[in-house]
Amino acid sequence: MTEDINQSIPKPYFDIDKETKACGFTMPSDILTYSLLRTLAVSKPAGKFLELGTGTGLSTAWILDGMDSNSTLTSLDNDEAVLAIARKYLGGDSRLNLVYGNGEDWIKNNKGQKFDYIFADTWPGKYFLSDEVLEMLNIGGLYIVDDMLPQPNWSQGHPEKVTGFVKNLESRKDLILTKLNWATGIIIAVKK
């Protein structure tokens, strides 16, 4: 199955992956997650996309690859060094707005915005301010998170954060969600 994914890997991915490894960034998502992100992006033509936690742009490249020409993606990160890699390889895409800044501040300052697709891959929007981010999701919009299965880089107390986050999602009456015991552990929620 990995061979199928390899045949259609977005071109910028290879250069971004090489620089990601060279700079020592140790928190990229899994390639299976990237493939799913792209597939789900295709389902939102002329969509407004949000990625919380750009990192070096690995997942960003895949989301962009699934988006149509009428879609836009806002992707933010608080680490200028890794964001510079994303900017170097993806910054020329007019559909993409790369934002350097604090995720918590950005969420608080942009509460009025609405999105069709949100990939929350950092603490703000996932482990805190998740309710605020979910209010930014349009009806029928996708909210996607990964790293829900135990990871080697989890700190002490992190499993409890994950458990609390999942319970919060499960308690919401405005979401339909599916938990996948696949890749790094994915949750896909749709706003109803």
mmCIF file of all heavy atoms in Angstrom, residues 29-30 33 146-151 154 180 182-186:
data_model
loop_
_atom_site.group_PDB
_atom_site.id
_atom_site.type_symbol
_atom_site.label_atom_id
_atom_site.label_comp_id
_atom_site.label_asym_id
_atom_site.label_seq_id
_atom_site.Cartn_x
_atom_site.Cartn_y
_atom_site.Cartn_z
ATOM 1 N N SER A 29 4.040 14.631 11.159
ATOM 2 C CA SER A 29 2.990 13.622 11.135
ATOM 3 C C SER A 29 3.463 12.422 10.327
ATOM 4 O O SER A 29 4.540 12.427 9.740
ATOM 5 C CB SER A 29 1.708 14.212 10.531
ATOM 6 O OG SER A 29 1.188 15.221 11.363
ATOM 7 N N ASP A 30 2.638 11.422 10.268
ATOM 8 C CA ASP A 30 2.908 10.162 9.587
ATOM 9 C C ASP A 30 2.451 10.272 8.123
ATOM 10 O O ASP A 30 1.479 10.966 7.824
ATOM 11 C CB ASP A 30 2.104 9.098 10.361
ATOM 12 C CG ASP A 30 2.119 7.750 9.740
ATOM 13 O OD1 ASP A 30 1.294 7.525 8.841
ATOM 14 O OD2 ASP A 30 2.922 6.927 10.167
ATOM 15 N N THR A 33 -1.128 9.673 7.527
ATOM 16 C CA THR A 33 -1.933 10.836 7.909
ATOM 17 C C THR A 33 -1.948 11.856 6.783
ATOM 18 O O THR A 33 -2.997 12.401 6.442
ATOM 19 C CB THR A 33 -1.392 11.470 9.207
ATOM 20 O OG1 THR A 33 -1.406 10.481 10.239
ATOM 21 C CG2 THR A 33 -2.207 12.674 9.625
ATOM 22 N N ASP A 146 -4.474 14.231 14.853
ATOM 23 C CA ASP A 146 -3.709 12.978 14.858
ATOM 24 C C ASP A 146 -2.969 12.850 16.185
ATOM 25 O O ASP A 146 -3.188 13.621 17.108
ATOM 26 C CB ASP A 146 -2.770 12.876 13.651
ATOM 27 C CG ASP A 146 -1.643 13.895 13.650
ATOM 28 O OD1 ASP A 146 -1.692 14.872 14.433
ATOM 29 O OD2 ASP A 146 -0.709 13.731 12.855
ATOM 30 N N ASP A 147 -2.126 11.847 16.293
ATOM 31 C CA ASP A 147 -1.338 11.571 17.503
ATOM 32 C C ASP A 147 -2.222 11.254 18.708
ATOM 33 O O ASP A 147 -1.916 11.635 19.840
ATOM 34 C CB ASP A 147 -0.391 12.733 17.832
ATOM 35 C CG ASP A 147 0.607 12.991 16.719
ATOM 36 O OD1 ASP A 147 0.989 12.030 16.034
ATOM 37 O OD2 ASP A 147 0.991 14.151 16.528
ATOM 38 N N MET A 148 -3.297 10.542 18.478
ATOM 39 C CA MET A 148 -4.188 10.148 19.563
ATOM 40 C C MET A 148 -3.802 8.799 20.168
ATOM 41 O O MET A 148 -4.273 8.436 21.236
ATOM 42 C CB MET A 148 -5.643 10.089 19.072
ATOM 43 C CG MET A 148 -6.214 11.438 18.656
ATOM 44 S SD MET A 148 -6.495 12.547 20.065
ATOM 45 C CE MET A 148 -5.085 13.633 19.980
ATOM 46 N N LEU A 149 -2.942 8.062 19.499
ATOM 47 C CA LEU A 149 -2.386 6.825 20.053
ATOM 48 C C LEU A 149 -1.061 7.162 20.729
ATOM 49 O O LEU A 149 -0.370 8.104 20.316
ATOM 50 C CB LEU A 149 -2.169 5.786 18.958
ATOM 51 C CG LEU A 149 -3.422 5.228 18.290
ATOM 52 C CD1 LEU A 149 -3.042 4.320 17.126
ATOM 53 C CD2 LEU A 149 -4.288 4.481 19.300
ATOM 54 N N PRO A 150 -0.666 6.423 21.754
ATOM 55 C CA PRO A 150 0.594 6.727 22.459
ATOM 56 C C PRO A 150 1.784 6.865 21.502
ATOM 57 O O PRO A 150 1.964 6.038 20.599
ATOM 58 C CB PRO A 150 0.767 5.529 23.392
ATOM 59 C CG PRO A 150 -0.626 5.040 23.638
ATOM 60 C CD PRO A 150 -1.358 5.266 22.334
ATOM 61 N N GLN A 151 2.546 7.930 21.711
ATOM 62 C CA GLN A 151 3.719 8.233 20.893
ATOM 63 C C GLN A 151 4.962 8.225 21.781
ATOM 64 O O GLN A 151 4.891 8.592 22.957
ATOM 65 C CB GLN A 151 3.563 9.612 20.239
ATOM 66 C CG GLN A 151 2.321 9.775 19.386
ATOM 67 C CD GLN A 151 2.322 8.873 18.184
ATOM 68 O OE1 GLN A 151 3.297 8.825 17.437
ATOM 69 N NE2 GLN A 151 1.245 8.134 17.998
ATOM 70 N N TRP A 154 5.783 11.472 23.839
ATOM 71 C CA TRP A 154 4.827 12.015 24.798
ATOM 72 C C TRP A 154 5.506 12.242 26.143
ATOM 73 O O TRP A 154 6.235 11.388 26.633
ATOM 74 C CB TRP A 154 3.657 11.066 24.992
ATOM 75 C CG TRP A 154 2.603 11.167 23.921
ATOM 76 C CD1 TRP A 154 2.674 11.861 22.759
ATOM 77 C CD2 TRP A 154 1.329 10.526 23.935
ATOM 78 N NE1 TRP A 154 1.518 11.695 22.043
ATOM 79 C CE2 TRP A 154 0.677 10.878 22.743
ATOM 80 C CE3 TRP A 154 0.684 9.685 24.830
ATOM 81 C CZ2 TRP A 154 -0.603 10.424 22.425
ATOM 82 C CZ3 TRP A 154 -0.581 9.232 24.513
ATOM 83 C CH2 TRP A 154 -1.218 9.614 23.324
ATOM 84 N N LEU A 180 -10.061 6.584 14.714
ATOM 85 C CA LEU A 180 -9.375 5.562 13.933
ATOM 86 C C LEU A 180 -8.134 5.070 14.666
ATOM 87 O O LEU A 180 -7.246 5.867 14.984
ATOM 88 C CB LEU A 180 -8.970 6.120 12.562
ATOM 89 C CG LEU A 180 -10.099 6.651 11.681
ATOM 90 C CD1 LEU A 180 -9.530 7.331 10.449
ATOM 91 C CD2 LEU A 180 -11.040 5.530 11.289
ATOM 92 N N TRP A 182 -5.431 3.852 13.715
ATOM 93 C CA TRP A 182 -4.695 3.732 12.461
ATOM 94 C C TRP A 182 -3.671 4.861 12.400
ATOM 95 O O TRP A 182 -3.894 5.927 12.965
ATOM 96 C CB TRP A 182 -5.706 3.845 11.319
ATOM 97 C CG TRP A 182 -5.159 3.817 9.949
ATOM 98 C CD1 TRP A 182 -4.738 2.718 9.254
ATOM 99 C CD2 TRP A 182 -5.000 4.927 9.063
ATOM 100 N NE1 TRP A 182 -4.328 3.098 7.998
ATOM 101 C CE2 TRP A 182 -4.472 4.442 7.861
ATOM 102 C CE3 TRP A 182 -5.243 6.289 9.194
ATOM 103 C CZ2 TRP A 182 -4.200 5.259 6.778
ATOM 104 C CZ3 TRP A 182 -4.963 7.117 8.108
ATOM 105 C CH2 TRP A 182 -4.447 6.595 6.920
ATOM 106 N N ALA A 183 -2.571 4.625 11.744
ATOM 107 C CA ALA A 183 -1.474 5.600 11.671
ATOM 108 C C ALA A 183 -1.081 5.971 13.105
ATOM 109 O O ALA A 183 -0.781 5.082 13.891
ATOM 110 C CB ALA A 183 -1.855 6.804 10.822
ATOM 111 N N THR A 184 -1.111 7.256 13.463
ATOM 112 C CA THR A 184 -0.755 7.661 14.829
ATOM 113 C C THR A 184 -1.993 7.826 15.708
ATOM 114 O O THR A 184 -1.879 8.320 16.831
ATOM 115 C CB THR A 184 0.043 8.986 14.815
ATOM 116 O OG1 THR A 184 -0.782 10.002 14.253
ATOM 117 C CG2 THR A 184 1.338 8.842 14.044
ATOM 118 N N GLY A 185 -3.138 7.425 15.189
ATOM 119 C CA GLY A 185 -4.403 7.598 15.902
ATOM 120 C C GLY A 185 -5.068 8.876 15.437
ATOM 121 O O GLY A 185 -4.615 9.965 15.763
ATOM 122 N N ILE A 186 -6.091 8.748 14.631
ATOM 123 C CA ILE A 186 -6.744 9.885 14.002
ATOM 124 C C ILE A 186 -8.157 10.011 14.553
ATOM 125 O O ILE A 186 -8.834 9.016 14.762
ATOM 126 C CB ILE A 186 -6.854 9.675 12.464
ATOM 127 C CG1 ILE A 186 -5.513 9.294 11.853
ATOM 128 C CG2 ILE A 186 -7.489 10.871 11.783
ATOM 129 C CD1 ILE A 186 -4.559 10.399 11.640
#
